[in-house]
Amino acid sequence: DVKVTQSSRYLVKRTGEKVFLECVQDMDHENMFWYRQDPGLGLRLIYFSYDVKMKEKGDIPEGYSVSREKKERFSLILESASTNQTSMYLCASGGLAGGPSSYNEQFFGPGTRLTVL
Amino acid sequence: AQSVSQHNHHVILSEAASLELGCNYSYGGTVNLFWYVQYPGQHLQLLLKYFSGDPLVKGIKGFEAEFIKSKFSFNLRKPSVQWSDTAEYFCAVNERYGNKLVFGAGTILRVKS
């Protein structure tokens, strides 16, 4: 079974704090993704990475950055947390080397519910 | 930019009723189509997917979906729902050679026992 794990299920931070969300996958997937999930808005892509040290902006990258130093690990960073970043954050991975990456579904972690006070 | 529309945000059904959740997408090229489900307190998981071939695809737990290219639609169906189908359902699309999935806003299904 594919496993995508996220460092915390629940996190409470204060405005202005730097926040790190970590994600690890164990299936040697090439691609990793960070989404935020808000009621009535579905999942919106923040950033994704298709290789180590490579990243691309998604639809809502403002206020976020990412880091992928190892293939299995993808971190989301909130440089200075704000209350409008209170949300559920989902990490996903998918795509195997040598295969048509778009054919592979994404596998999701359990999510981190972040509250910024 | 590509977009995905799910027609209903909340659906309430009684057990044994039939289900159809609508999904329309905007991209005119070749696409891959997915339905994901999120049960209360659980991970988002894949229900079914369409890449090519037979436009009627079957997924887990008795769900199926039909791809109608002319209507840019990929509606999810189940002939008889159960209480355990209570969940949020997301339609998602990606371009055939793209990495990114675009999700709809989700439909919350509540099945009354």
Side-chain angles (χ1 to χ4, degrees), chain B residues 6-8 11 13 18-24 34-39 46-49 55-68 73-79 81 85 87-91 107 109:
Chain B
Q6 291 185 237
H7 304 161
N8 307 97
V11 173
L13 294 173
S18 64
L19 170 71
E20 182 159 3
L21 301 183
C23 172
N24 287 91
F34 305 82
W35 276 97
Y36 282 84
V37 60
Q38 189 171 35
Y39 298 103
L46 185 70
L47 204 50
L48 48 78
K49 61 190 176 189
L56 185 63
V57 292
K58 296 196 184 298
I60 60 171
K61 306 189 180 188
F63 285 90
E64 65 178 32
E66 185 176 13
F67 170 49
I68 303 179
S73 71
F74 190 55
N75 292 353
L76 181 71
R77 300 195 292 247
K78 187 171 184 179
V81 294
D85 293 324
E88 189 162 13
Y89 294 80
F90 294 93
C91 181
T107 297
L109 171 66

Side-chain angles (χ1 to χ4, degrees), chain A residues 74-116:
Chain A
F74 192 36
S75 301
L76 179 70
I77 303 146
L78 287 66
E79 295 289 343
S80 177
S82 64
T83 54
N84 63 12
Q85 292 179 308
T86 290
S87 186
M88 172 70 88
Y89 289 88
L90 298 180
C91 175
S93 73
L96 295 171
S101 61
S102 69
Y103 282 31
N104 292 285
E105 68 262 30
Q106 293 180 20
F107 297 86
F108 285 82
T112 296
R113 186 166 293 282
L114 172 67
T115 302
V116 182

